[in-house]
PDB file of all heavy atoms in Angstrom:
ATOM      1  N   ALA A  29      13.171  -1.731  -0.360  1.00  0.00           N
ATOM      2  CA  ALA A  29      13.439  -2.927   0.455  1.00  0.00           C
ATOM      3  C   ALA A  29      12.153  -3.439   1.092  1.00  0.00           C
ATOM      4  O   ALA A  29      11.896  -4.650   1.146  1.00  0.00           O
ATOM      5  CB  ALA A  29      14.476  -2.604   1.526  1.00  0.00           C
ATOM      6  N   THR A  30      11.301  -2.503   1.563  1.00  0.00           N
ATOM      7  CA  THR A  30      10.029  -2.894   2.178  1.00  0.00           C
ATOM      8  C   THR A  30       9.110  -3.540   1.149  1.00  0.00           C
ATOM      9  O   THR A  30       8.472  -4.576   1.416  1.00  0.00           O
ATOM     10  CB  THR A  30       9.341  -1.654   2.791  1.00  0.00           C
ATOM     11  OG1 THR A  30      10.187  -1.099   3.799  1.00  0.00           O
ATOM     12  CG2 THR A  30       8.000  -2.037   3.394  1.00  0.00           C
ATOM     13  N   ALA A  31       9.025  -2.948  -0.037  1.00  0.00           N
ATOM     14  CA  ALA A  31       8.172  -3.501  -1.094  1.00  0.00           C
ATOM     15  C   ALA A  31       8.636  -4.894  -1.501  1.00  0.00           C
ATOM     16  O   ALA A  31       7.823  -5.790  -1.748  1.00  0.00           O
ATOM     17  CB  ALA A  31       8.171  -2.566  -2.306  1.00  0.00           C
ATOM     18  N   THR A  32       9.956  -5.083  -1.537  1.00  0.00           N
ATOM     19  CA  THR A  32      10.509  -6.390  -1.892  1.00  0.00           C
ATOM     20  C   THR A  32      10.153  -7.434  -0.839  1.00  0.00           C
ATOM     21  O   THR A  32       9.756  -8.563  -1.163  1.00  0.00           O
ATOM     22  CB  THR A  32      12.031  -6.292  -2.044  1.00  0.00           C
ATOM     23  OG1 THR A  32      12.343  -5.317  -3.044  1.00  0.00           O
ATOM     24  CG2 THR A  32      12.620  -7.627  -2.468  1.00  0.00           C
ATOM     25  N   ALA A  33      10.291  -7.068   0.420  1.00  0.00           N
ATOM     26  CA  ALA A  33       9.973  -8.000   1.506  1.00  0.00           C
ATOM     27  C   ALA A  33       8.494  -8.373   1.504  1.00  0.00           C
ATOM     28  O   ALA A  33       8.132  -9.520   1.793  1.00  0.00           O
ATOM     29  CB  ALA A  33      10.374  -7.384   2.843  1.00  0.00           C
ATOM     30  N   GLU A  34       7.615  -7.418   1.187  1.00  0.00           N
ATOM     31  CA  GLU A  34       6.180  -7.699   1.148  1.00  0.00           C
ATOM     32  C   GLU A  34       5.829  -8.617  -0.023  1.00  0.00           C
ATOM     33  O   GLU A  34       4.973  -9.501   0.099  1.00  0.00           O
ATOM     34  CB  GLU A  34       5.401  -6.395   1.036  1.00  0.00           C
ATOM     35  CG  GLU A  34       5.431  -5.554   2.307  1.00  0.00           C
ATOM     36  CD  GLU A  34       4.755  -4.209   2.128  1.00  0.00           C
ATOM     37  OE1 GLU A  34       4.410  -3.875   0.963  1.00  0.00           O
ATOM     38  OE2 GLU A  34       4.564  -3.494   3.133  1.00  0.00           O
ATOM     39  N   ALA A  35       6.493  -8.411  -1.150  1.00  0.00           N
ATOM     40  CA  ALA A  35       6.196  -9.219  -2.334  1.00  0.00           C
ATOM     41  C   ALA A  35       6.782 -10.624  -2.220  1.00  0.00           C
ATOM     42  O   ALA A  35       6.191 -11.593  -2.697  1.00  0.00           O
ATOM     43  CB  ALA A  35       6.729  -8.528  -3.591  1.00  0.00           C
ATOM     44  N   PHE A  36       7.937 -10.723  -1.569  1.00  0.00           N
ATOM     45  CA  PHE A  36       8.614 -12.015  -1.442  1.00  0.00           C
ATOM     46  C   PHE A  36       8.990 -12.229   0.027  1.00  0.00           C
ATOM     47  O   PHE A  36      10.138 -11.968   0.432  1.00  0.00           O
ATOM     48  CB  PHE A  36       9.865 -12.046  -2.333  1.00  0.00           C
ATOM     49  CG  PHE A  36       9.581 -11.729  -3.781  1.00  0.00           C
ATOM     50  CD1 PHE A  36       9.891 -10.469  -4.292  1.00  0.00           C
ATOM     51  CD2 PHE A  36       9.001 -12.657  -4.626  1.00  0.00           C
ATOM     52  CE1 PHE A  36       9.625 -10.162  -5.616  1.00  0.00           C
ATOM     53  CE2 PHE A  36       8.727 -12.354  -5.950  1.00  0.00           C
ATOM     54  CZ  PHE A  36       9.043 -11.105  -6.449  1.00  0.00           C
ATOM     55  N   PRO A  37       8.077 -12.682   0.852  1.00  0.00           N
ATOM     56  CA  PRO A  37       8.294 -12.766   2.299  1.00  0.00           C
ATOM     57  C   PRO A  37       9.493 -13.622   2.709  1.00  0.00           C
ATOM     58  O   PRO A  37      10.119 -13.360   3.740  1.00  0.00           O
ATOM     59  CB  PRO A  37       6.979 -13.378   2.810  1.00  0.00           C
ATOM     60  CG  PRO A  37       5.972 -13.027   1.765  1.00  0.00           C
ATOM     61  CD  PRO A  37       6.706 -13.058   0.471  1.00  0.00           C
ATOM     62  N   SER A  38       9.811 -14.647   1.933  1.00  0.00           N
ATOM     63  CA  SER A  38      10.933 -15.510   2.312  1.00  0.00           C
ATOM     64  C   SER A  38      12.258 -15.069   1.686  1.00  0.00           C
ATOM     65  O   SER A  38      13.275 -15.763   1.803  1.00  0.00           O
ATOM     66  CB  SER A  38      10.634 -16.962   1.910  1.00  0.00           C
ATOM     67  OG  SER A  38      10.410 -17.055   0.506  1.00  0.00           O
ATOM     68  N   SER A  39      12.252 -13.914   1.035  1.00  0.00           N
ATOM     69  CA  SER A  39      13.489 -13.418   0.417  1.00  0.00           C
ATOM     70  C   SER A  39      14.354 -12.697   1.449  1.00  0.00           C
ATOM     71  O   SER A  39      13.929 -12.447   2.585  1.00  0.00           O
ATOM     72  CB  SER A  39      13.145 -12.462  -0.732  1.00  0.00           C
ATOM     73  OG  SER A  39      12.503 -11.306  -0.230  1.00  0.00           O
ATOM     74  N   ARG A  40      15.573 -12.335   1.039  1.00  0.00           N
ATOM     75  CA  ARG A  40      16.499 -11.623   1.926  1.00  0.00           C
ATOM     76  C   ARG A  40      17.173 -10.488   1.158  1.00  0.00           C
ATOM     77  O   ARG A  40      17.428 -10.604  -0.040  1.00  0.00           O
ATOM     78  CB  ARG A  40      17.587 -12.565   2.447  1.00  0.00           C
ATOM     79  CG  ARG A  40      17.067 -13.668   3.379  1.00  0.00           C
ATOM     80  CD  ARG A  40      18.204 -14.615   3.744  1.00  0.00           C
ATOM     81  NE  ARG A  40      18.637 -15.397   2.586  1.00  0.00           N
ATOM     82  CZ  ARG A  40      19.858 -15.908   2.435  1.00  0.00           C
ATOM     83  NH1 ARG A  40      20.800 -15.667   3.360  1.00  0.00           N
ATOM     84  NH2 ARG A  40      20.157 -16.620   1.366  1.00  0.00           N
ATOM     85  N   ILE A  41      17.452  -9.403   1.873  1.00  0.00           N
ATOM     86  CA  ILE A  41      18.267  -8.325   1.312  1.00  0.00           C
ATOM     87  C   ILE A  41      19.708  -8.608   1.734  1.00  0.00           C
ATOM     88  O   ILE A  41      20.067  -8.492   2.900  1.00  0.00           O
ATOM     89  CB  ILE A  41      17.829  -6.937   1.816  1.00  0.00           C
ATOM     90  CG1 ILE A  41      16.339  -6.699   1.516  1.00  0.00           C
ATOM     91  CG2 ILE A  41      18.685  -5.841   1.189  1.00  0.00           C
ATOM     92  CD1 ILE A  41      15.997  -6.593   0.062  1.00  0.00           C
ATOM     93  N   THR A  42      20.527  -9.014   0.779  1.00  0.00           N
ATOM     94  CA  THR A  42      21.896  -9.444   1.108  1.00  0.00           C
ATOM     95  C   THR A  42      22.966  -8.433   0.684  1.00  0.00           C
ATOM     96  O   THR A  42      24.160  -8.669   0.925  1.00  0.00           O
ATOM     97  CB  THR A  42      22.184 -10.805   0.433  1.00  0.00           C
ATOM     98  OG1 THR A  42      21.963 -10.688  -0.974  1.00  0.00           O
ATOM     99  CG2 THR A  42      21.278 -11.893   0.992  1.00  0.00           C
ATOM    100  N   PHE A  43      22.533  -7.358   0.060  1.00  0.00           N
ATOM    101  CA  PHE A  43      23.507  -6.344  -0.375  1.00  0.00           C
ATOM    102  C   PHE A  43      22.842  -4.979  -0.327  1.00  0.00           C
ATOM    103  O   PHE A  43      21.759  -4.782  -0.874  1.00  0.00           O
ATOM    104  CB  PHE A  43      23.988  -6.646  -1.798  1.00  0.00           C
ATOM    105  CG  PHE A  43      24.986  -5.663  -2.326  1.00  0.00           C
ATOM    106  CD1 PHE A  43      26.350  -5.852  -2.121  1.00  0.00           C
ATOM    107  CD2 PHE A  43      24.579  -4.529  -3.029  1.00  0.00           C
ATOM    108  CE1 PHE A  43      27.276  -4.937  -2.610  1.00  0.00           C
ATOM    109  CE2 PHE A  43      25.497  -3.615  -3.519  1.00  0.00           C
ATOM    110  CZ  PHE A  43      26.859  -3.827  -3.300  1.00  0.00           C
ATOM    111  N   LYS A  44      23.469  -4.015   0.362  1.00  0.00           N
ATOM    112  CA  LYS A  44      23.005  -2.633   0.402  1.00  0.00           C
ATOM    113  C   LYS A  44      24.216  -1.724   0.286  1.00  0.00           C
ATOM    114  O   LYS A  44      25.235  -1.948   0.949  1.00  0.00           O
ATOM    115  CB  LYS A  44      22.276  -2.318   1.709  1.00  0.00           C
ATOM    116  CG  LYS A  44      20.882  -2.876   1.835  1.00  0.00           C
ATOM    117  CD  LYS A  44      20.238  -2.409   3.143  1.00  0.00           C
ATOM    118  CE  LYS A  44      18.832  -2.945   3.295  1.00  0.00           C
ATOM    119  NZ  LYS A  44      18.225  -2.485   4.577  1.00  0.00           N
ATOM    120  N   MET A  45      24.109  -0.693  -0.532  1.00  0.00           N
ATOM    121  CA  MET A  45      25.222   0.241  -0.675  1.00  0.00           C
ATOM    122  C   MET A  45      24.707   1.550  -1.257  1.00  0.00           C
ATOM    123  O   MET A  45      23.759   1.552  -2.041  1.00  0.00           O
ATOM    124  CB  MET A  45      26.323  -0.348  -1.565  1.00  0.00           C
ATOM    125  CG  MET A  45      27.559   0.535  -1.706  1.00  0.00           C
ATOM    126  SD  MET A  45      28.858  -0.223  -2.722  1.00  0.00           S
ATOM    127  CE  MET A  45      29.478  -1.468  -1.583  1.00  0.00           C
ATOM    128  N   ILE A  46      25.342   2.635  -0.864  1.00  0.00           N
ATOM    129  CA  ILE A  46      25.068   3.953  -1.438  1.00  0.00           C
ATOM    130  C   ILE A  46      26.378   4.472  -2.008  1.00  0.00           C
ATOM    131  O   ILE A  46      27.404   4.496  -1.306  1.00  0.00           O
ATOM    132  CB  ILE A  46      24.528   4.934  -0.385  1.00  0.00           C
ATOM    133  CG1 ILE A  46      23.260   4.386   0.279  1.00  0.00           C
ATOM    134  CG2 ILE A  46      24.231   6.292  -1.026  1.00  0.00           C
ATOM    135  CD1 ILE A  46      22.746   5.249   1.414  1.00  0.00           C
ATOM    136  N   VAL A  47      26.347   4.877  -3.293  1.00  0.00           N
ATOM    137  CA  VAL A  47      27.554   5.399  -3.927  1.00  0.00           C
ATOM    138  C   VAL A  47      27.245   6.762  -4.543  1.00  0.00           C
ATOM    139  O   VAL A  47      26.080   7.124  -4.731  1.00  0.00           O
ATOM    140  CB  VAL A  47      28.099   4.444  -5.008  1.00  0.00           C
ATOM    141  CG1 VAL A  47      28.516   3.110  -4.401  1.00  0.00           C
ATOM    142  CG2 VAL A  47      27.065   4.239  -6.124  1.00  0.00           C
ATOM    143  N   THR A  48      28.302   7.492  -4.850  1.00  0.00           N
ATOM    144  CA  THR A  48      28.133   8.800  -5.493  1.00  0.00           C
ATOM    145  C   THR A  48      27.827   8.617  -6.974  1.00  0.00           C
ATOM    146  O   THR A  48      27.926   7.510  -7.519  1.00  0.00           O
ATOM    147  CB  THR A  48      29.396   9.649  -5.345  1.00  0.00           C
ATOM    148  OG1 THR A  48      30.467   8.995  -6.042  1.00  0.00           O
ATOM    149  CG2 THR A  48      29.755   9.828  -3.881  1.00  0.00           C
ATOM    150  N   ASP A  49      27.495   9.734  -7.625  1.00  0.00           N
ATOM    151  CA  ASP A  49      27.204   9.687  -9.060  1.00  0.00           C
ATOM    152  C   ASP A  49      28.508   9.637  -9.841  1.00  0.00           C
ATOM    153  O   ASP A  49      28.825  10.521 -10.655  1.00  0.00           O
ATOM    154  CB  ASP A  49      26.388  10.918  -9.471  1.00  0.00           C
ATOM    155  CG  ASP A  49      24.997  10.923  -8.859  1.00  0.00           C
ATOM    156  OD1 ASP A  49      24.263   9.954  -9.104  1.00  0.00           O
ATOM    157  OD2 ASP A  49      24.653  11.878  -8.141  1.00  0.00           O
ATOM    158  N   SER A  50      29.281   8.622  -9.586  1.00  0.00           N
ATOM    159  CA  SER A  50      30.599   8.468 -10.216  1.00  0.00           C
ATOM    160  C   SER A  50      30.624   7.173 -11.003  1.00  0.00           C
ATOM    161  O   SER A  50      30.331   6.096 -10.456  1.00  0.00           O
ATOM    162  CB  SER A  50      31.686   8.453  -9.133  1.00  0.00           C
ATOM    163  OG  SER A  50      32.885   7.932  -9.648  1.00  0.00           O
ATOM    164  N   PHE A  51      30.974   7.286 -12.260  1.00  0.00           N
ATOM    165  CA  PHE A  51      31.005   6.106 -13.119  1.00  0.00           C
ATOM    166  C   PHE A  51      31.887   5.002 -12.530  1.00  0.00           C
ATOM    167  O   PHE A  51      31.440   3.844 -12.413  1.00  0.00           O
ATOM    168  CB  PHE A  51      31.480   6.499 -14.526  1.00  0.00           C
ATOM    169  CG  PHE A  51      31.496   5.364 -15.509  1.00  0.00           C
ATOM    170  CD1 PHE A  51      30.390   5.084 -16.293  1.00  0.00           C
ATOM    171  CD2 PHE A  51      32.630   4.565 -15.670  1.00  0.00           C
ATOM    172  CE1 PHE A  51      30.404   4.037 -17.205  1.00  0.00           C
ATOM    173  CE2 PHE A  51      32.651   3.519 -16.569  1.00  0.00           C
ATOM    174  CZ  PHE A  51      31.528   3.257 -17.351  1.00  0.00           C
ATOM    175  N   PRO A  52      33.134   5.292 -12.123  1.00  0.00           N
ATOM    176  CA  PRO A  52      33.983   4.218 -11.574  1.00  0.00           C
ATOM    177  C   PRO A  52      33.393   3.604 -10.305  1.00  0.00           C
ATOM    178  O   PRO A  52      33.452   2.384 -10.118  1.00  0.00           O
ATOM    179  CB  PRO A  52      35.311   4.918 -11.281  1.00  0.00           C
ATOM    180  CG  PRO A  52      35.309   6.118 -12.177  1.00  0.00           C
ATOM    181  CD  PRO A  52      33.885   6.547 -12.247  1.00  0.00           C
ATOM    182  N   GLU A  53      32.793   4.451  -9.408  1.00  0.00           N
ATOM    183  CA  GLU A  53      32.241   3.911  -8.168  1.00  0.00           C
ATOM    184  C   GLU A  53      31.042   2.998  -8.451  1.00  0.00           C
ATOM    185  O   GLU A  53      30.874   1.967  -7.800  1.00  0.00           O
ATOM    186  CB  GLU A  53      31.822   5.049  -7.234  1.00  0.00           C
ATOM    187  CG  GLU A  53      32.973   5.727  -6.516  1.00  0.00           C
ATOM    188  CD  GLU A  53      32.492   6.599  -5.367  1.00  0.00           C
ATOM    189  OE1 GLU A  53      31.511   6.186  -4.693  1.00  0.00           O
ATOM    190  OE2 GLU A  53      33.071   7.679  -5.160  1.00  0.00           O
ATOM    191  N   ILE A  54      30.230   3.415  -9.398  1.00  0.00           N
ATOM    192  CA  ILE A  54      29.059   2.593  -9.740  1.00  0.00           C
ATOM    193  C   ILE A  54      29.521   1.256 -10.302  1.00  0.00           C
ATOM    194  O   ILE A  54      28.994   0.190  -9.930  1.00  0.00           O
ATOM    195  CB  ILE A  54      28.158   3.334 -10.740  1.00  0.00           C
ATOM    196  CG1 ILE A  54      27.636   4.636 -10.148  1.00  0.00           C
ATOM    197  CG2 ILE A  54      26.974   2.451 -11.155  1.00  0.00           C
ATOM    198  CD1 ILE A  54      26.932   5.531 -11.152  1.00  0.00           C
ATOM    199  N   VAL A  55      30.502   1.296 -11.209  1.00  0.00           N
ATOM    200  CA  VAL A  55      31.004   0.056 -11.810  1.00  0.00           C
ATOM    201  C   VAL A  55      31.555  -0.870 -10.738  1.00  0.00           C
ATOM    202  O   VAL A  55      31.290  -2.081 -10.713  1.00  0.00           O
ATOM    203  CB  VAL A  55      32.069   0.365 -12.876  1.00  0.00           C
ATOM    204  CG1 VAL A  55      32.809  -0.909 -13.305  1.00  0.00           C
ATOM    205  CG2 VAL A  55      31.431   1.035 -14.101  1.00  0.00           C
ATOM    206  N   ASN A  56      32.380  -0.324  -9.829  1.00  0.00           N
ATOM    207  CA  ASN A  56      32.972  -1.152  -8.765  1.00  0.00           C
ATOM    208  C   ASN A  56      31.883  -1.778  -7.885  1.00  0.00           C
ATOM    209  O   ASN A  56      31.976  -2.955  -7.492  1.00  0.00           O
ATOM    210  CB  ASN A  56      33.924  -0.318  -7.914  1.00  0.00           C
ATOM    211  CG  ASN A  56      35.195   0.028  -8.665  1.00  0.00           C
ATOM    212  OD1 ASN A  56      35.578  -0.697  -9.593  1.00  0.00           O
ATOM    213  ND2 ASN A  56      35.853   1.123  -8.289  1.00  0.00           N
ATOM    214  N   ALA A  57      30.838  -0.962  -7.554  1.00  0.00           N
ATOM    215  CA  ALA A  57      29.759  -1.488  -6.712  1.00  0.00           C
ATOM    216  C   ALA A  57      28.988  -2.592  -7.447  1.00  0.00           C
ATOM    217  O   ALA A  57      28.607  -3.612  -6.840  1.00  0.00           O
ATOM    218  CB  ALA A  57      28.803  -0.363  -6.328  1.00  0.00           C
ATOM    219  N   LEU A  58      28.778  -2.405  -8.741  1.00  0.00           N
ATOM    220  CA  LEU A  58      28.074  -3.424  -9.516  1.00  0.00           C
ATOM    221  C   LEU A  58      28.874  -4.723  -9.572  1.00  0.00           C
ATOM    222  O   LEU A  58      28.311  -5.823  -9.442  1.00  0.00           O
ATOM    223  CB  LEU A  58      27.812  -2.925 -10.942  1.00  0.00           C
ATOM    224  CG  LEU A  58      26.768  -1.802 -11.093  1.00  0.00           C
ATOM    225  CD1 LEU A  58      26.758  -1.274 -12.534  1.00  0.00           C
ATOM    226  CD2 LEU A  58      25.378  -2.305 -10.720  1.00  0.00           C
TER     227      LEU A  58
END
Side-chain angles (χ1 to χ4, degrees):
T30 299
T32 302
E34 289 175 351
F36 305 103
S38 59
S39 65
R40 294 175 291 154
I41 304 293
T42 56
F43 180 89
K44 285 184 180 180
M45 183 178 286
I46 303 175
V47 297
T48 64
D49 293 302
S50 163
F51 182 91
E53 283 194 37
I54 299 170
V55 168
N56 289 335
L58 290 172

